[in-house]
């Protein structure tokens, strides 16, 4: 056979192989043939929303639930009273330190109190003298200004003691004659759990050095990285699930920026159901619901899908057998896939798929 004849024969065989596809993707089968081939059907499940499965997420503490306890003044940590993972209540002592700076702050406060009393006495005296016309008005105004300055300095020194951890009762006791102290007790600012300890007894620390991190662990955040191609349809308020912990929540923000290296978008979810089963810093897999929009979506078993010439298909039951119907993939899951297509009222083949695909390719009897 010459080359031209061989080429013509090859084209003829190829045309015969694709005849079923060319005839509108119809596969003629009788009921007995369907039964003999082990083909079963079921309707696809309509879905109001879709789901994106297997997204990586990190458990985070919401910013407004995280508190840092730090040293108000330089000093030596004398004792630490709580440890990591302990629950604490607001006002509970956490650590004690010795600080000579506290003694200096108390001395400055007492000195400012004495100056305020003296300024008050001078003001009372000059007001009486001015009323009798014995001093100039400028002197009275100078005395008033000195009194205002003394009062402001006293308030400043009082605030410095409060920042150092002294209560109003302790400051009042200091004013009444209690001895100056060098001990600072640091307390919990909120109810929560100690998630980090950054200092040990015996350490000498500078002012504003963090020593504890305290968090309220319910609810929690999830920071979810989703590929840009899978982010379509995810909106604020969309339900979120953590299957491994049976935890649930909702999307509270959708990132507007794409990470250049990974081409992902960051989603933030607030987990309010079973948040106690998660731990900050933990990595989990989550499922996020997507909006279906105006296009009907269907959930079909993965085994029902076939690919022909790179396109996904489903075999839909007809009066004469089956018809291969193209569909568009929305999201592929481990057991089922979300698709869009003309499947209203249809019955799709869910078993015996290899036999149908063989018939589609022209290999059947």
């Amino acid at each position: 056979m010459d080359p031209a004849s061989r080429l013509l024969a090859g084209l003829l065989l190829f045309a015969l192989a694709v005849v079923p596809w060319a005839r509108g993707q119809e596969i003629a089968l009788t009921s007995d043939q369907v039964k003999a081939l082990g083909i079963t059907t079921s309707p696809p499940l309509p879905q109001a929303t879709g789901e994106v499965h297997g997204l990586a997420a990190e458990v985070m503490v919401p910013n407004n639930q995280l508190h840092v306890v730090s040293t108000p003044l330089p000093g030596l940590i004398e004792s630490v009273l709580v440890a990591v993972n302990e629950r604490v209540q607001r006002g509970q002592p956490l650590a004690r330190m010795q600080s000579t700076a506290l003694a200096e702050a108390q001395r400055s406060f007492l000195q400012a109190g004495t100056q305020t009393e003296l300024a008050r006495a001078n003001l009372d005296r000059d007001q009486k003298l001015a009323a009798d016309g014995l001093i100039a008005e400028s002197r009275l105004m100078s005395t008033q200004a000195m009194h205002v300055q003394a009062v402001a300095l006293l308030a400043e020194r009082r605030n410095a003691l409060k920042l150092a951890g002294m209560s109003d009762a302790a400051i009042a006791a200091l004013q009444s004659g209690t001895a100056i102290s060098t001990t600072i007790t640091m307390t919990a600012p909120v109810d929560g759990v100690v998630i980090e300890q950054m200092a040990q007894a015996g350490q000498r620390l500078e002012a504003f050095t963090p020593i504890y991190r305290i968090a309220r662990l319910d609810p929690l955040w999830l920071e979810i990285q989703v590929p840009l191609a899978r982010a379509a349809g995810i909106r604020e308020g969309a339900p979120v699930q953590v299957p491994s912990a049976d935890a649930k929540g909702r999307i509270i923000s959708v990132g507007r920026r794409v990470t250049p290296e990974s081409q992902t978008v960051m989603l933030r979810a607030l987990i309010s159901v079973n948040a106690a089963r998660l731990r900050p810093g933990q990595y989990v897999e989550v499922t996020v619901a997507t909006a279906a929009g105006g296009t009907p979506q269907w959930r079909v078993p993965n085994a029902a899908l076939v690919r022909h010439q790179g396109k996904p298909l489903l075999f839909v039951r007809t009066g004469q057998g089956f018809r291969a119907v193209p569909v568009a993939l929305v999201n592929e899951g481990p057991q089922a896939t979300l698709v869009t297509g003309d499947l209203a009222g249809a019955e799709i083949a869910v078993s015996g798929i290899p036999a149908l695909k063989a018939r589609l390719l022209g290999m059947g009897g």
Side-chain angles (χ1 to χ4, degrees):
M1 183 180 295
D2 57 57
S5 299
R6 286 198 297 268
L7 178 60
L8 181 60
L11 291 174
L12 180 60
L13 290 174
F14 176 78
L16 291 174
V18 298
V19 164
W21 181 264
R23 287 200 304 261
Q25 304 163 315
E26 292 285 349
I27 303 171
L29 291 174
T30 65
S31 298
D32 291 339
Q33 288 176 316
V34 169
K35 186 177 180 180
L37 292 172
I39 301 171
T40 59
T41 63
S42 69
L45 299 177
Q47 298 290 304
T49 60
E51 291 180 343
V52 182
H53 299 269
L55 296 176
E58 182 179 2
V59 182
M60 308 284 289
V61 178
N63 290 341
N64 62 346
Q65 296 174 204
L66 185 63
H67 301 268
V68 175
V69 179
S70 60
T71 56
L73 296 170
L76 178 71
I77 298 295
E78 183 180 59
S79 60
V80 290
L81 307 177
V82 297
V84 174
N85 297 328
E86 285 192 39
R87 292 189 175 275
V88 295
Q89 295 181 337
R90 182 173 183 174
Q92 178 180 338
L94 303 178
R96 292 191 177 91
M97 69 182 297
Q98 294 295 326
S99 174
T100 56
L102 177 62
E104 177 62 24
Q106 291 174 340
R107 185 195 64 78
S108 297
F109 171 73
L110 294 176
Q111 184 178 8
T114 301
Q115 292 175 348
T116 301
E117 292 176 2
L118 179 60
R120 177 74 255 179
N122 289 338
L123 179 60
D124 290 343
R125 180 199 63 202
D126 285 358
Q127 284 176 336
K128 292 178 181 179
L129 292 176
D132 295 335
L134 298 177
I135 60 173
E137 185 177 357
S138 59
R139 175 175 166 177
L140 177 60
M141 293 177 63
S142 176
T143 305
Q144 288 174 333
M146 293 179 63
H147 177 260
V148 170
Q149 292 176 359
V151 171
L153 181 62
L154 179 62
E156 178 187 333
R157 297 289 187 260
R158 178 186 294 275
N159 287 333
L161 292 181
K162 295 185 74 172
L163 287 174
M166 290 188 67
S167 64
D168 291 332
I171 294 174
L174 177 65
Q175 284 181 298
S176 65
T178 301
I180 290 177
S181 171
T182 60
T183 301
I184 298 177
T185 300
M186 287 155 284
T187 60
V190 293
D191 296 347
V193 176
V194 177
I195 61 172
E196 187 177 359
Q197 177 183 332
M198 293 90 85
Q200 302 292 333
Q203 278 188 275
R204 185 172 294 279
L205 303 175
E206 296 299 322
F208 308 115
T209 302
I211 59 173
Y212 282 110
R213 200 181 303 273
I214 298 174
R216 184 162 59 90
L217 301 182
D218 194 355
L220 289 171
W221 277 352
L222 288 180
E223 290 195 350
I224 308 166
Q225 297 296 330
V226 56
L228 183 60
R230 303 179 70 184
I234 298 179
R235 304 287 186 267
E236 290 186 14
V240 176
Q241 296 184 21
V242 184
S244 61
D246 194 27
K248 300 178 182 179
R250 59 183 178 85
I251 297 293
I252 59 174
S253 70
V254 178
R256 304 299 300 171
R257 178 180 179 274
V258 177
T259 304
E261 296 80 7
S262 60
Q263 289 295 290
T264 58
V265 176
M266 197 276 284
L267 311 176
R268 179 171 290 121
L270 183 70
I271 300 300
S272 54
V273 178
N274 291 333
R277 298 182 181 181
L278 302 174
R279 291 174 172 80
Q282 178 183 2
Y283 286 92
V284 295
E285 286 192 355
V286 303
T287 298
V288 181
T290 59
T295 303
Q297 296 185 340
W298 314 87
R299 184 170 300 280
V300 299
N302 289 344
L305 280 167
V306 297
R307 282 175 171 80
H308 180 73
Q309 298 179 350
K311 299 177 181 179
L313 305 171
L314 291 172
F315 293 109
V316 175
R317 192 76 160 95
T318 66
Q320 291 73 38
F322 288 88
R323 183 175 72 254
V325 175
V327 293
L329 302 183
V330 177
N331 180 56
E332 295 187 69
Q335 304 295 331
T337 296
L338 200 66
V339 301
T340 59
D342 185 15
L343 300 176
E347 289 276 333
I348 62 171
V350 295
S351 65
I353 305 301
L356 287 171
K357 187 174 183 180
R359 293 288 180 123
L360 179 67
L361 297 175
M363 294 182 293

